[in-house]
Amino acid sequence: MAIATSSFHWSALLPRKSYSERQSSLTGIHGQSISFKPHAPSLVLSPKTSPAVVLASTTAGALETEPRISAATPSKSLPFRVGHGFDLHRLEPGYPLIVGGITIPHDRGCEAHSDGDVLLHCIVDAILGALGLPDIGQIFPDNDPKWKGAASSVFIKEAVRLMHEAGYELGNLDATLILQKPKVSPHKEAIRSNLCELLGADPSVVNLKAKTHEKVDSLGENRSIAAHTVVLLMRK
């Protein structure tokens, strides 16, 4: 996803002021603000610094310290916001298959930096997309050792926090899993129940479907798993 650097006001980072003196906010994509706190890790910033680097650096520890990315009300306030998420992971022997926070018995699992939960990852991206924020890979980069083997529930809880901070709540969610094997139907209700708990949502607004890929390409050959999610957010 391309990021327009022109939307960042770099004048907030005047070098003649000390770090503690310039606790001002940068205005980023779609109006969200990024607040720098005195305890934040030091960053060497220049006019050429990528906004993605700023966002990732200031957000990676959001659940361990004060949140450093803010989902401030977008510049254009809307009663509804829609987001779409997609994710795909390669299936390899020796990994657990975790879908929606539920471990499903299988001879293969997702090879990933975190726990590889393809469903939670695409739900996070759907929520972030609806809010006009960077995607999961920018906020929780897969080259950061902090997220090595991390439970994807950490990521979805942060997405939900940002959703509420922006003044929205979940209207409804519709997710589709795509995998050839194993059958999801015996685990569907456990997955949906866990999603409701993580999202703080009523079961009536969370829908989960599962499809095979008719033995076509990597999905149909049981070499990968994918998921699509659409969310509707409503202003509180």
Side-chain angles (χ1 to χ4, degrees), residues 54-131:
V54 176
L55 290 171
S57 300
T58 58
T59 308
L63 298 181
E64 298 181 357
T65 60
E66 286 188 32
R68 296 172 197 161
I69 184 169
S70 174
T73 303
S75 55
K76 185 174 182 180
S77 180
L78 299 172
F80 303 101
R81 298 183 74 89
V82 175
H84 171 261
F86 169 76
D87 197 27
L88 180 146
H89 282 293
R90 184 168 57 248
L91 291 173
E92 296 287 352
Y95 293 90
L97 180 59
I98 303 172
V99 179
I102 304 300
T103 300
I104 299 177
H106 193 44
D107 60 353
R108 301 182 181 198
C110 293
E111 182 181 15
H113 185 68
S114 64
D115 65 1
D117 193 323
V118 67
L119 180 58
L120 293 191
H121 290 182
C122 86
I123 291 175
V124 169
D125 260 352
I127 294 173
L128 294 176
L131 295 172

